[in-house]
Amino acid sequence: MTDAVDLADLERRMQGALSSLKTEFGGLRTGRASASLVEPITVEAYGSQLPLPQLATVSVPEPRLISIQVWDKGTLIAVEKAIRQSNLGLNPVVDGTNIRLPIPELNEERRTELAKVAQKYAEQARVAIRHVRRDGLDHVKKGADLSEDEQRRLSDQIQKLTDRFVGEVDTMTQTKESEIMQV
């Protein structure tokens, strides 16, 4: 395996950990309405579990309100039930084929709790990035046709890549925590 392909693969896998973290952070409530808050919700409809965005249009008309326009009136009750069971702490208000989700203000205790959850997600991303680094270093060590200098150079490049992605995780985490803790 050439070092260029190997490094590109490692970078792609580390980017995947970062993308996963971004998705996890999207589901954390910050006291402001965001369509990504309800995207992970699955609804029992048409005999299977479907993601909410496949059954309705999700919009944010106001900073503290999510509006869900259900396409098929027959799925309205199922969508409402799925939102109530999602443990997001939201209380859906049904209005015709619309469901309004007012976003309540977060108290200090809940903000601290969410910041800890964000830290947990960030640590999971760091661990995933370090696993990719370990795999890369293992490939370098197994490369019998590589000189010591080449192995050291590749190991340094892998470490720099790891440091860059861990730095991005830290930056994303600080940004998310400041969003959560804003009063």
Side-chain angles (χ1 to χ4, degrees):
M1 187 182 281
T2 65
D3 57 319
V5 172
D6 190 35
L7 288 175
D9 180 54
L10 293 176
E11 185 169 5
R12 180 190 57 75
R13 289 170 55 197
M14 288 181 185
Q15 188 63 47
L18 218 58
S19 297
S20 176
L21 178 64
K22 189 176 284 188
T23 302
E24 294 283 356
F25 278 174
L28 281 179
R29 241 177 71 198
T30 59
R32 285 194 304 264
S34 168
S36 62
L37 189 61
V38 295
E39 284 177 2
I41 296 175
T42 57
V43 180
E44 176 71 36
Y46 308 118
S48 64
Q49 292 285 338
L50 296 171
L52 181 61
Q54 288 184 8
L55 298 169
T57 303
V58 180
S59 62
V60 183
E62 299 174 22
R64 303 189 54 73
L65 181 72
I66 298 174
S67 177
I68 301 170
Q69 173 79 38
V70 180
W71 299 323
D72 180 3
K73 195 168 185 166
T75 61
L76 185 69
I77 294 169
V79 170
E80 180 189 12
K81 181 180 176 187
I83 292 169
R84 288 190 191 280
Q85 293 176 341
S86 68
N87 291 329
L88 289 175
L90 299 176
N91 190 19
V93 178
V94 178
D95 180 23
T97 58
N98 275 342
I99 297 176
R100 290 180 286 130
L101 295 174
I103 307 295
E105 193 66 43
L106 295 174
N107 62 22
E108 191 63 33
E109 182 181 317
R110 182 69 176 140
R111 288 178 191 276
T112 306
E113 202 176 294
L114 287 173
K116 288 178 184 176
V117 171
Q119 280 293 338
K120 186 182 84 174
Y121 289 157
E123 188 55 34
Q124 290 171 346
R126 287 186 201 101
V127 167
I129 290 169
R130 290 183 194 122
H131 281 299
V132 174
R133 175 187 66 187
R134 188 188 63 225
D135 289 348
L137 293 176
D138 287 348
H139 278 116
V140 168
K141 288 177 185 171
K142 291 177 185 173
D145 57 336
L146 297 174
S147 69
E148 281 186 37
D149 287 343
E150 287 179 48
Q151 286 182 352
R152 192 172 301 115
R153 181 182 60 79
L154 282 172
S155 295
D156 288 347
Q157 285 179 331
I158 291 169
Q159 185 58 48
K160 285 178 185 171
L161 195 62
T162 303
D163 292 344
R164 187 180 98 213
F165 278 98
V166 168
E168 288 183 42
V169 167
D170 292 342
T171 302
M172 287 173 60
T173 305
Q174 287 175 346
T175 303
K176 189 62 177 182
E177 281 184 339
S178 68
E179 282 179 22
I180 291 170
M181 298 308 283
Q182 280 179 352
V183 177

